[in-house]
């Protein structure tokens, strides 16, 4: 399984003639097997951070690297989806990625969309992996449907299945449920929590929803103006429920941190 | 890239990095409940009312008219009404033509009445002449059309992938694009003679650019978010081309083929009028020289009708294809 080490990551953009420091010397480490959420205001650099970790953008300075570590106890990965180390000595974990939009190819069925994501993997039983992932997100009967026949929530489930069928070491999510309605969001959060407890993997989830962060994550990083301003372990027992006093007080605490930071 | 700017539309949505940028610039305006979208009771308080992403239907692309002729009318009376409306003008024109001839308003030598034109059509059908000229014209246009597609589509893909090649070919392509093919006919006849070569060249020149530019436009308008997704699942460039770029640009490619076909049909008739020994254009010119205005009319009507039929067929095909292959943009 893979962890993430972000060190000294900085990125500056030019927008409307002036520079914007999207990332300002960001440092943190995500232990392998943990679930880390990054929260913050829209525009605080969350998505930029995600894109750098995903390798979709190059930093001005610093780096985001993956590191290999022992599997979480009890985790049976049966040899698939294991990280590989390439010639340069860098760890290349198998990534599963989820964006705010499903980003499915409309001209392929859901099953074909998932199979395409497995095309460059070494998995033996691809059809089996696809079936399993679809069943996991509750889309077992929709493999032959086309994305334009799915509801928004179902399409996002399919995107989650696409990320999961790769048996990822590391699941990167950028506001995965941000565009969904409140009820569907709750449902998918619960499912993601359930899937994560049954299948060991490292998850880094970017979200603007503090409640989502608290209900899902082991650890919450608060971002503001391109920097990590707070790092908090969430040691609530699982399964967690909205409305529990401990949950609510943590959520309130994090909200206060974000609000205080924005005033400064 | 300004070379193709007249075809390249603004991207439907900014790239995610661009979006991050915009919001970074205006972060102070964000609401305080940014993280409290859902309360314990499941009540939505601060939802981000994002519009649905990129779901334009294929038919709304570009200035081309919508692809289904029947529009949204139902299968029954509405459809009949549409057909009747479409047939109204041709019927009225025919009636006016006939009446004006009958009242001797039109000179029958210059504008023969419909009956005479029909007789001439029947006669040339019986003699096999009409069929011969039509077949020759069609064979030329299809050969030229496929040749053009075989040239334009790979070149579009090559230029999409190679900016250096695009810069290299920018000036010559623009030069040829802006020169009307008919202006090149004298030169083409000198170079290629009055045989099939010069006709093919005219067709290629006339239909190359609609096909080429629409193809490149389709490729460039591929949703960058889908390309990014392809990158995140490690697709090879080859797979990305076949599975993402090609299906995504297919509607635009088909539009280009359709426009290109119309252009090549028109250019061919022009070329046949100038130098040919057979074909519908030649038939018209020959009839004019023999003062057979009725046959000139036959030729014009056949050319117009065939052009219309092929265009309608291609447009149906495009609509069927985009339905069959679910070629709407990704979501």
């Amino acid at each position: 399984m893979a962890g993430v080490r972000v060190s000294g990551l900085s990125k500056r953009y030019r927008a409307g003639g002036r520079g914007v420091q999207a990332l300002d010397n960001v440092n943190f480490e995500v232990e392998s097997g943990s679930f880390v959420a990054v929260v913050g205001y829209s525009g605080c650099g969350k998505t930029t951070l995600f894109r750098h970790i995903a390798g979709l953008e190059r930093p001005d300075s610093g780096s985001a690297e993956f590191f290999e570590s022992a599997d979480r106890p009890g985790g049976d990965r049966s040899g698939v989806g294991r990280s590989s180390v390439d010639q340069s000595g860098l760890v290349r974990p198998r990534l599963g990625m989820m964006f705010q939009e499903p980003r499915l190819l409309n001209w392929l069925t859901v099953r074909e969309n998932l199979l395409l994501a497995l095309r460059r993997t070494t998995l033996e039983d691809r059809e089996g992996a696809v079936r399993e992932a679809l069943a996991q997100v509750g889309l077992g009967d929709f493999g032959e449907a086309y994305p334009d026949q799915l509801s928004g929530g179902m399409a996002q489930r399919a995107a989650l299945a696409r990320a999961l069928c790769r048996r990822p070491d590391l699941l990167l999510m950028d506001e995965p449920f941000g565009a969904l309605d409140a009820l569907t969001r709750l449902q998918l959060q619960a499912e993601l929590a359930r899937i994560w407890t049954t299948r060991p993997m490292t998850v880094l989830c970017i979200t603007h929803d503090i409640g989502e962060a608290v209900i899902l994550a082991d650890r919450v990083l608060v971002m503001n103006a391109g920097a990590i301003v707070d790092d908090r372990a969430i040691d609530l027992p699982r399964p967690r429920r909205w409305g529990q006093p401990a949950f609510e007080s943590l959520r309130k605490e994090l909200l206060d941190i974000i609000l205080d930071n924005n005033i400064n | 890239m300004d070379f193709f700017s007249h075809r390249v539309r603004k991207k439907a949505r900014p790239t995610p990095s661009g979006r991050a940028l915009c919001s970074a610039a205006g972060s102070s305006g964000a609401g305080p409940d940014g993280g409290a979208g859902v309360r314990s009771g499941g009540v939505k308080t601060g939802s981000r009312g994002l519009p649905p992403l990129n779901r334009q239907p294929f038919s709304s692309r570009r200035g081309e008219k919508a692809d289904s002729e029947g529009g949204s009318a139902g299968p029954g009376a509405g459809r009949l009404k549409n057909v009747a409306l479409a047939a109204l003008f041709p019927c009225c024109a025919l009636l006016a033509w006939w009446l004006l001839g009958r009242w001797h308003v039109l000179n029958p030598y210059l504008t023969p009445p419909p009956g005479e034109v029909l007789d001439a059509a029947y006669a040339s059908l019986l003699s096999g002449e009409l069929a011969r000229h039509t077949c020759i014209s069609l064979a030329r246009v299809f050969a030229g059309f496929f040749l053009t597609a075989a040239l334009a589509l790979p070149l579009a893909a090559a230029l999409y992938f190679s900016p250096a090649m695009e810069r290299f070919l920018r000036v010559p392509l623009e030069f040829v694009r802006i020169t009307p093919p008919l202006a090149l006919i004298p030169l083409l006849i000198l170079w290629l003679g009055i045989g099939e070569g010069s006709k093919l060249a005219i067709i290629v020149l006339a239909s190359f650019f609609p096909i080429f530019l629409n193809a490149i436009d389709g490729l460039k308008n591929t949703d960058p978010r889908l390309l990014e997704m392809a990158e995140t699942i490690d697709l090879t460039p080859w797979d990305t081309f076949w599975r993402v770029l090609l299906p995504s640009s297919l509607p635009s490619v088909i539009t280009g083929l359709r426009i290109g076909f119309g252009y090549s049909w028109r250019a061919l008739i022009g070329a046949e009028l100038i130098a040919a020994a057979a074909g519908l254009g030649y038939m018209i010119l020959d009839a004019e020289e023999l003062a057979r205005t009725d046959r000139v009319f036959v030729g014009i009507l056949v050319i117009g009708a065939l052009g219309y039929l092929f265009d309608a067929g291609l447009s149906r095909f495009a609509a069927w294809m985009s339905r069959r292959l679910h070629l709407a943009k990704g979501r």
Side-chain angles (χ1 to χ4, degrees):
Chain A
M1 209 176 318
V4 187
R5 187 181 298 119
V6 174
S7 37
L9 201 62
S10 290
K11 179 76 177 187
R12 203 173 167 78
Y13 287 119
R14 290 206 69 76
R18 69 191 190 93
V20 176
Q21 193 73 40
L23 292 178
D24 188 5
N25 191 24
V26 176
N27 291 289
F28 66 91
E29 202 172 294
V30 176
E31 266 175 64
S32 62
S34 64
F35 195 132
V36 174
V38 180
V39 297
Y41 274 104
S42 166
C44 71
K46 300 191 302 281
T47 294
T48 310
L49 176 66
F50 166 84
R51 295 177 60 79
H52 280 85
I53 296 173
L56 295 171
E57 259 168 76
R58 296 197 166 280
D60 293 340
S61 62
S63 64
E65 286 169 352
F66 306 109
F67 60 86
E68 180 77 41
S69 69
D71 286 359
R72 214 164 42 160
D76 172 26
R77 302 189 56 77
S78 52
V80 291
R82 205 176 284 279
S83 308
S84 61
V85 179
D86 66 15
Q87 297 97 326
S88 57
L90 290 173
V91 176
R92 279 180 48 81
R94 185 172 290 161
L95 289 182
M97 226 172 282
M98 229 184 130
F99 301 91
Q100 185 164 353
E101 326 81 31
R103 303 200 185 184
L104 299 168
L105 300 176
N106 258 0
W107 40 89
L108 301 180
T109 62
V110 170
R111 189 180 61 88
E112 289 164 342
N113 264 287
L114 267 62
L115 280 174
L116 193 65
L118 295 179
R119 213 174 161 82
R120 296 260 288 162
T121 61
T122 51
L123 279 178
E124 294 278 318
D125 179 17
R126 295 183 182 180
E127 293 281 354
V130 166
R131 259 198 311 277
E132 185 192 318
L134 284 176
Q136 236 168 353
V137 300
L139 284 183
D141 297 333
F142 290 90
E144 297 308 317
Y146 281 89
D148 57 0
Q149 298 164 335
L150 301 181
S151 70
M154 284 159 83
Q156 199 61 336
R157 276 167 203 261
L160 177 59
R162 180 177 58 195
L164 290 176
C165 73
R166 289 163 62 82
R167 312 260 163 95
D169 301 303
L170 177 61
L171 182 60
L172 287 176
M173 312 173 101
D174 183 17
E175 307 251 5
F177 312 129
L180 300 176
D181 65 275
L183 290 175
T184 312
R185 195 183 318 166
L186 287 177
Q187 211 177 6
L188 279 173
Q189 284 165 4
E191 277 177 34
L192 178 61
R194 179 181 57 75
I195 290 167
W196 180 74
T197 48
T198 53
R199 167 189 262 177
M201 60 183 165
T202 314
V203 183
L204 183 66
C205 178
I206 308 275
T207 175
H208 64 272
D209 183 339
I210 302 171
E212 182 170 289
V214 174
I215 206 149
L216 289 173
D218 293 331
R219 189 173 145 215
V220 175
L221 304 174
V222 179
M223 261 190 106
N224 189 44
I228 305 279
V229 294
D230 203 86
D231 182 343
R232 192 155 296 234
I234 310 286
D235 44 14
L236 296 177
R238 293 173 187 269
R240 298 168 182 168
R241 295 183 64 85
W242 292 80
Q244 286 169 334
F247 170 87
E248 289 300 330
S249 69
L250 254 172
R251 193 165 76 110
K252 174 84 173 52
E253 210 174 309
L254 279 164
L255 182 60
D256 286 341
I257 292 169
I258 291 175
L259 291 177
D260 288 349
N261 266 291
N262 203 51
I263 291 161
N264 297 336
Chain B
M1 295 177 219
D2 49 338
F3 175 34
F4 301 112
S5 56
H6 59 298
R7 307 295 293 175
V8 176
R9 292 168 307 149
K10 207 165 164 262
K11 291 270 187 283
R13 281 171 54 82
T15 58
S17 59
R19 202 165 64 226
L21 244 157
C22 297
S23 46
S27 65
S28 57
D33 63 345
V38 180
R39 286 218 176 114
S40 48
V43 182
K44 202 173 176 183
T45 55
S47 95
R48 315 194 337 154
L50 286 174
L53 304 167
N54 243 348
R55 291 193 196 151
Q56 312 129 302
F58 165 39
S59 56
S60 73
R61 292 175 65 80
R62 201 156 294 110
E64 278 293 295
K65 74 184 156 96
D67 286 279
S68 56
E69 305 282 312
S72 57
R79 191 181 171 85
L80 201 69
K81 200 172 133 193
N82 281 342
V83 171
L85 202 61
L88 191 61
F89 187 85
C91 290
C92 287
L94 199 64
L95 187 68
W97 182 12
W98 182 71
L99 282 176
L100 290 175
R102 196 149 175 88
W103 296 337
H104 303 288
V105 180
L106 296 173
N107 180 345
Y109 177 71
L110 297 178
T111 317
E116 258 179 55
V117 172
L118 204 65
D119 285 345
Y122 187 62
S124 56
L125 254 184
L126 276 188
S127 69
E129 213 180 340
L130 185 63
R132 186 171 69 90
H133 288 303
T134 306
C135 285
I136 287 171
S137 285
L138 282 179
R140 281 175 184 152
V141 93
F142 276 111
F145 179 69
F146 284 114
L147 181 62
T148 313
L151 287 172
L153 297 179
L155 191 66
L159 261 65
Y160 172 80
F161 284 110
S162 163
M165 193 161 164
E166 186 189 311
R167 271 189 288 281
F168 177 68
L169 289 176
R170 176 178 300 188
V171 174
L173 281 174
E174 194 69 345
F175 180 85
V176 180
R177 187 182 74 81
I178 214 76
T179 316
L182 291 183
L184 296 173
I185 286 186
L187 198 59
L188 291 172
I189 289 175
L190 284 176
W191 284 352
L192 304 169
I194 58 165
E196 294 305 312
S198 58
K199 261 92 119 194
L200 273 185
I202 295 285
I203 295 170
V204 170
L205 285 168
S207 56
F208 179 83
F209 286 96
I211 297 176
F212 170 73
L213 291 175
N214 275 288
I216 213 163
D217 186 25
L219 288 169
K220 285 187 176 177
N221 274 312
T222 300
D223 190 341
R225 298 172 309 158
L226 291 183
L227 293 174
E228 213 170 73
M229 184 280 296
E231 204 179 317
T232 67
I233 57 173
D234 307 315
L235 275 196
T236 58
W238 185 250
D239 277 338
T240 305
F241 180 74
W242 283 105
R243 301 308 192 92
V244 184
L245 280 164
L246 198 67
S248 145
S249 56
L250 206 52
S252 189
V253 169
I254 294 174
T255 300
L257 290 173
R258 194 179 135 203
I259 300 174
F261 190 84
Y263 280 23
S264 50
W265 185 237
R266 296 194 306 199
L268 169 74
I269 303 299
E272 285 178 349
L273 275 169
I274 292 168
L280 286 169
Y282 165 78
M283 189 182 109
I284 292 176
L285 193 75
D286 189 47
E288 187 228 320
E289 279 167 1
L290 298 171
R292 288 292 305 272
T293 329
D294 49 349
R295 292 187 59 190
V296 173
F297 270 81
V298 171
I300 291 171
L301 290 174
V302 169
I303 289 166
L306 280 178
Y308 175 81
L309 284 178
F310 278 111
D311 190 65
L314 272 171
S315 119
R316 293 250 164 142
F317 172 71
W320 172 82
M321 183 101 135
S322 79
R323 263 199 320 277
R324 180 77 187 73
L325 299 178
H326 296 262
L327 287 180
K329 290 231 169 180
R331 47 190 299 183

